[in-house]
Amino acid sequence: MTDRTEIQHLAAWHGFLNGCRQTASQANSLLPSGHLTRINGLVMEASGLKLPLGSSCRIVPPGGSPIEAEVVGFNGERLFLMPSEDVYGLSPGARVVALETPNPPPQVGRPPPARRRWIDRAKLVPVGESLLGRVLDGAGRPLDRLGPLHTNSLRPLQSRPFNPMSRAPINQPLDVGVRAVNALLCIGRGQRMGLFAGSGVGKSVLLGMMARYTAAEVIVVGLIGERGREVKEFIEQILGEEGLRRSVVIAAPADVSPLMRMQGAAYATCIAEYFRDRGRQVLLIMDSLTRYAMAQREIALAIG
């Protein structure tokens, strides 16, 4: 019995060391860098480095604070970058440094983290149980002034494609806590629905009622493109303290960049998929997808 235990222990440590070796072999010895050549509206151009789409960069102006950006296109030797913050203070020739996302450390008894695709190595966002009851922005930074997130779990912002043959059929109703909806427009678990109406008729109030009284265990709310004051009103007056306790709110209001609005919607979906993969019943609410589509259009027009 002792020999078998020792063999299993040695096998686990051999696997751990192989995972460390594989992780070290995938790391870049030197991060490539280039320089900023042009800013045209929302799009910046950089040269001197080659990166795939979706890569993260940091623009370091002389004597200023760095600005994060993402590669959204390229033309020959030029890269098109979209900033996630204000670009005031940038000047021609500012250094552009590629960012390598932190690799989750190997753990004994577990396989090394998947980094086969570039999506697995591009942008990682924090996930975990500690996100419940928190209000975050599109990059995973707290907005509720409750301190930093206490989680070591990271997940790619863009998830892997789901095999359609692995999807479970929609055959169970989801109680959303609104009797009129349950009776006249029954919603099934795993179903996607859209709510379309004019301004000021109560869409956000209805979504808040669903978030407060639904039978789902976890609620993920994405407030995309809303006015800044509406974010606080939704959380305090519509969602309420009881609803927030089991919710994760991702707020990307209208005054942030289009890239941050798109990333906020993707981050909310990523969090919902994380809890779904752990067997939890999740209700994902996005308000609103129309403004998300407008952010996509802004980026497409800016790239040209």
Side-chain angles (χ1 to χ4, degrees):
M1 188 68 179
T2 304
D3 294 340
R4 182 181 301 177
T5 304
E6 291 180 355
I7 293 175
Q8 294 176 351
H9 182 72
L10 289 175
W13 275 104
H14 278 300
F16 173 73
L17 294 176
N18 289 333
C20 293
R21 189 179 299 110
Q22 180 180 349
T23 302
S25 64
Q26 295 173 343
N28 294 327
S29 57
L30 293 175
L31 294 179
S33 64
H35 58 276
L36 193 65
T37 58
R38 184 186 181 197
I39 297 180
N40 184 13
L42 297 175
V43 178
M44 302 180 293
E45 294 184 12
S47 61
L49 73 168
K50 296 181 179 180
L51 296 172
L53 293 177
S55 302
S56 298
C57 300
R58 179 171 293 163
I59 304 173
V60 186
S65 57
I67 297 174
E68 292 192 5
E70 182 177 317
V71 179
V72 296
F74 58 86
N75 183 9
E77 299 296 326
R78 296 179 299 165
L79 285 182
F80 298 147
L81 310 176
M82 183 74 68
S84 59
E85 306 171 50
D86 292 333
V87 297
Y88 297 108
L90 292 181
S91 60
R95 190 180 177 213
V96 181
V97 183
L99 292 181
E100 185 178 21
T101 56
N103 188 16
Q107 299 182 9
V108 179
R110 295 186 180 181
R115 290 172 72 87
R116 295 186 298 270
R117 306 179 311 160
W118 184 259
I119 291 180
D120 298 328
R121 308 176 63 179
K123 187 182 291 295
L124 301 178
V125 289
V127 293
E129 295 286 340
S130 60
L131 270 62
L132 293 175
R134 302 300 303 268
V135 182
L136 313 173
D137 67 357
R141 295 171 296 207
L143 297 175
D144 49 15
R145 300 177 182 177
L146 296 179
L149 298 176
H150 299 286
T151 178
N152 295 324
S153 300
L154 298 175
R155 190 182 179 107
L157 186 62
Q158 304 295 335
S159 61
R160 294 173 177 269
F162 202 89
N163 188 343
M165 299 304 296
S166 301
R167 293 185 179 273
I170 300 175
N171 52 20
Q172 295 183 0
L174 174 65
D175 183 4
V176 296
V178 182
R179 294 181 179 179
V181 177
N182 290 337
L184 303 177
L185 190 62
C186 182
I187 300 177
R189 295 182 182 177
Q191 184 177 356
R192 297 180 182 179
M193 294 195 63
L195 179 61
F196 302 93
S199 301
V201 299
K203 298 188 300 294
S204 298
V205 174
L206 179 58
L207 293 177
M209 293 174 62
M210 293 182 181
R212 291 181 64 178
Y213 304 116
T214 181
E217 300 173 315
V218 177
I219 300 98
V220 181
V221 183
L223 302 177
I224 311 301
E226 298 288 335
R227 300 181 184 90
R229 61 174 178 82
E230 292 179 347
V231 173
K232 188 174 182 180
E233 290 178 358
F234 181 89
I235 295 173
E236 295 182 353
Q237 301 179 13
I238 300 177
L239 186 60
E241 183 178 352
E242 180 182 353
L244 182 61
R245 192 177 299 112
R246 56 175 177 154
S247 302
V248 183
V249 179
I250 305 300
D255 54 356
V256 301
S257 67
L259 178 65
M260 189 60 66
R261 276 177 267 158
M262 289 185 58
Q263 185 171 324
Y267 188 23
T269 306
C270 177
I271 296 174
E273 292 174 346
Y274 169 83
F275 286 105
R276 176 207 63 189
D277 294 342
R278 277 148 184 79
R280 309 284 290 275
Q281 296 182 22
V282 185
L283 175 63
L284 172 61
I285 296 174
M286 201 79 69
D287 188 9
S288 72
L289 288 178
T290 303
R291 295 186 177 95
Y292 169 75
M294 292 174 60
Q296 285 184 314
R297 186 171 181 269
E298 289 181 46
I299 293 178
L301 292 176
I303 297 176

PDB file of all heavy atoms in Angstrom, residues 123-136:
ATOM      1  N   LYS A 123      -6.433  37.436 -24.023  1.00  0.00           N
ATOM      2  CA  LYS A 123      -6.940  38.248 -22.918  1.00  0.00           C
ATOM      3  C   LYS A 123      -7.642  37.338 -21.920  1.00  0.00           C
ATOM      4  O   LYS A 123      -8.586  36.638 -22.268  1.00  0.00           O
ATOM      5  CB  LYS A 123      -7.890  39.327 -23.429  1.00  0.00           C
ATOM      6  CG  LYS A 123      -8.340  40.319 -22.368  1.00  0.00           C
ATOM      7  CD  LYS A 123      -9.306  41.323 -22.939  1.00  0.00           C
ATOM      8  CE  LYS A 123      -8.620  42.251 -23.913  1.00  0.00           C
ATOM      9  NZ  LYS A 123      -7.603  43.115 -23.255  1.00  0.00           N
ATOM     10  N   LEU A 124      -7.199  37.371 -20.675  1.00  0.00           N
ATOM     11  CA  LEU A 124      -7.796  36.601 -19.601  1.00  0.00           C
ATOM     12  C   LEU A 124      -8.478  37.547 -18.626  1.00  0.00           C
ATOM     13  O   LEU A 124      -7.974  38.637 -18.349  1.00  0.00           O
ATOM     14  CB  LEU A 124      -6.743  35.758 -18.861  1.00  0.00           C
ATOM     15  CG  LEU A 124      -5.961  34.747 -19.708  1.00  0.00           C
ATOM     16  CD1 LEU A 124      -4.925  34.031 -18.840  1.00  0.00           C
ATOM     17  CD2 LEU A 124      -6.878  33.744 -20.364  1.00  0.00           C
ATOM     18  N   VAL A 125      -9.619  37.126 -18.110  1.00  0.00           N
ATOM     19  CA  VAL A 125     -10.395  37.953 -17.182  1.00  0.00           C
ATOM     20  C   VAL A 125     -10.667  37.158 -15.909  1.00  0.00           C
ATOM     21  O   VAL A 125     -10.742  35.926 -15.933  1.00  0.00           O
ATOM     22  CB  VAL A 125     -11.732  38.404 -17.823  1.00  0.00           C
ATOM     23  CG1 VAL A 125     -11.484  39.427 -18.905  1.00  0.00           C
ATOM     24  CG2 VAL A 125     -12.486  37.206 -18.389  1.00  0.00           C
ATOM     25  N   PRO A 126     -10.803  37.834 -14.764  1.00  0.00           N
ATOM     26  CA  PRO A 126     -11.039  37.115 -13.497  1.00  0.00           C
ATOM     27  C   PRO A 126     -12.461  36.589 -13.406  1.00  0.00           C
ATOM     28  O   PRO A 126     -13.423  37.262 -13.790  1.00  0.00           O
ATOM     29  CB  PRO A 126     -10.759  38.181 -12.434  1.00  0.00           C
ATOM     30  CG  PRO A 126     -11.013  39.484 -13.129  1.00  0.00           C
ATOM     31  CD  PRO A 126     -10.617  39.277 -14.561  1.00  0.00           C
ATOM     32  N   VAL A 127     -12.592  35.379 -12.892  1.00  0.00           N
ATOM     33  CA  VAL A 127     -13.891  34.752 -12.638  1.00  0.00           C
ATOM     34  C   VAL A 127     -13.820  34.071 -11.273  1.00  0.00           C
ATOM     35  O   VAL A 127     -12.748  33.946 -10.693  1.00  0.00           O
ATOM     36  CB  VAL A 127     -14.253  33.723 -13.738  1.00  0.00           C
ATOM     37  CG1 VAL A 127     -14.503  34.398 -15.073  1.00  0.00           C
ATOM     38  CG2 VAL A 127     -13.159  32.676 -13.880  1.00  0.00           C
ATOM     39  N   GLY A 128     -14.957  33.638 -10.776  1.00  0.00           N
ATOM     40  CA  GLY A 128     -14.969  32.920  -9.504  1.00  0.00           C
ATOM     41  C   GLY A 128     -16.141  33.329  -8.635  1.00  0.00           C
ATOM     42  O   GLY A 128     -16.890  34.278  -8.938  1.00  0.00           O
ATOM     43  N   GLU A 129     -16.295  32.612  -7.543  1.00  0.00           N
ATOM     44  CA  GLU A 129     -17.401  32.863  -6.613  1.00  0.00           C
ATOM     45  C   GLU A 129     -17.302  34.234  -5.950  1.00  0.00           C
ATOM     46  O   GLU A 129     -18.314  34.808  -5.550  1.00  0.00           O
ATOM     47  CB  GLU A 129     -17.422  31.774  -5.537  1.00  0.00           C
ATOM     48  CG  GLU A 129     -17.715  30.376  -6.057  1.00  0.00           C
ATOM     49  CD  GLU A 129     -19.167  30.198  -6.433  1.00  0.00           C
ATOM     50  OE1 GLU A 129     -20.000  30.987  -5.949  1.00  0.00           O
ATOM     51  OE2 GLU A 129     -19.470  29.263  -7.193  1.00  0.00           O
ATOM     52  N   SER A 130     -16.093  34.754  -5.826  1.00  0.00           N
ATOM     53  CA  SER A 130     -15.920  36.045  -5.155  1.00  0.00           C
ATOM     54  C   SER A 130     -16.488  37.208  -5.959  1.00  0.00           C
ATOM     55  O   SER A 130     -16.568  38.325  -5.450  1.00  0.00           O
ATOM     56  CB  SER A 130     -14.436  36.295  -4.874  1.00  0.00           C
ATOM     57  OG  SER A 130     -13.686  36.320  -6.077  1.00  0.00           O
ATOM     58  N   LEU A 131     -16.899  36.974  -7.204  1.00  0.00           N
ATOM     59  CA  LEU A 131     -17.484  38.037  -8.010  1.00  0.00           C
ATOM     60  C   LEU A 131     -18.935  38.302  -7.637  1.00  0.00           C
ATOM     61  O   LEU A 131     -19.478  39.358  -7.997  1.00  0.00           O
ATOM     62  CB  LEU A 131     -17.403  37.686  -9.498  1.00  0.00           C
ATOM     63  CG  LEU A 131     -16.147  38.135 -10.258  1.00  0.00           C
ATOM     64  CD1 LEU A 131     -14.896  37.479  -9.691  1.00  0.00           C
ATOM     65  CD2 LEU A 131     -16.272  37.818 -11.736  1.00  0.00           C
ATOM     66  N   LEU A 132     -19.568  37.367  -6.930  1.00  0.00           N
ATOM     67  CA  LEU A 132     -20.970  37.556  -6.558  1.00  0.00           C
ATOM     68  C   LEU A 132     -21.114  38.764  -5.631  1.00  0.00           C
ATOM     69  O   LEU A 132     -20.360  38.925  -4.673  1.00  0.00           O
ATOM     70  CB  LEU A 132     -21.509  36.302  -5.885  1.00  0.00           C
ATOM     71  CG  LEU A 132     -21.629  35.061  -6.773  1.00  0.00           C
ATOM     72  CD1 LEU A 132     -22.047  33.856  -5.957  1.00  0.00           C
ATOM     73  CD2 LEU A 132     -22.607  35.311  -7.909  1.00  0.00           C
ATOM     74  N   GLY A 133     -22.072  39.608  -5.941  1.00  0.00           N
ATOM     75  CA  GLY A 133     -22.305  40.810  -5.156  1.00  0.00           C
ATOM     76  C   GLY A 133     -21.428  41.977  -5.538  1.00  0.00           C
ATOM     77  O   GLY A 133     -21.480  43.014  -4.862  1.00  0.00           O
ATOM     78  N   ARG A 134     -20.647  41.846  -6.602  1.00  0.00           N
ATOM     79  CA  ARG A 134     -19.718  42.916  -6.991  1.00  0.00           C
ATOM     80  C   ARG A 134     -20.188  43.600  -8.270  1.00  0.00           C
ATOM     81  O   ARG A 134     -20.934  43.042  -9.082  1.00  0.00           O
ATOM     82  CB  ARG A 134     -18.312  42.348  -7.204  1.00  0.00           C
ATOM     83  CG  ARG A 134     -17.725  41.643  -5.997  1.00  0.00           C
ATOM     84  CD  ARG A 134     -17.598  42.578  -4.799  1.00  0.00           C
ATOM     85  NE  ARG A 134     -16.798  43.749  -5.075  1.00  0.00           N
ATOM     86  CZ  ARG A 134     -15.473  43.803  -4.846  1.00  0.00           C
ATOM     87  NH1 ARG A 134     -14.849  42.758  -4.335  1.00  0.00           N
ATOM     88  NH2 ARG A 134     -14.809  44.909  -5.090  1.00  0.00           N
ATOM     89  N   VAL A 135     -19.709  44.825  -8.452  1.00  0.00           N
ATOM     90  CA  VAL A 135     -19.955  45.613  -9.659  1.00  0.00           C
ATOM     91  C   VAL A 135     -18.601  45.892 -10.296  1.00  0.00           C
ATOM     92  O   VAL A 135     -17.727  46.507  -9.664  1.00  0.00           O
ATOM     93  CB  VAL A 135     -20.693  46.930  -9.335  1.00  0.00           C
ATOM     94  CG1 VAL A 135     -20.976  47.703 -10.615  1.00  0.00           C
ATOM     95  CG2 VAL A 135     -21.984  46.643  -8.578  1.00  0.00           C
ATOM     96  N   LEU A 136     -18.413  45.441 -11.541  1.00  0.00           N
ATOM     97  CA  LEU A 136     -17.128  45.526 -12.213  1.00  0.00           C
ATOM     98  C   LEU A 136     -17.288  46.243 -13.547  1.00  0.00           C
ATOM     99  O   LEU A 136     -18.394  46.369 -14.081  1.00  0.00           O
ATOM    100  CB  LEU A 136     -16.556  44.114 -12.453  1.00  0.00           C
ATOM    101  CG  LEU A 136     -16.577  43.137 -11.280  1.00  0.00           C
ATOM    102  CD1 LEU A 136     -16.130  41.762 -11.737  1.00  0.00           C
ATOM    103  CD2 LEU A 136     -15.702  43.639 -10.146  1.00  0.00           C
TER     104      LEU A 136
END
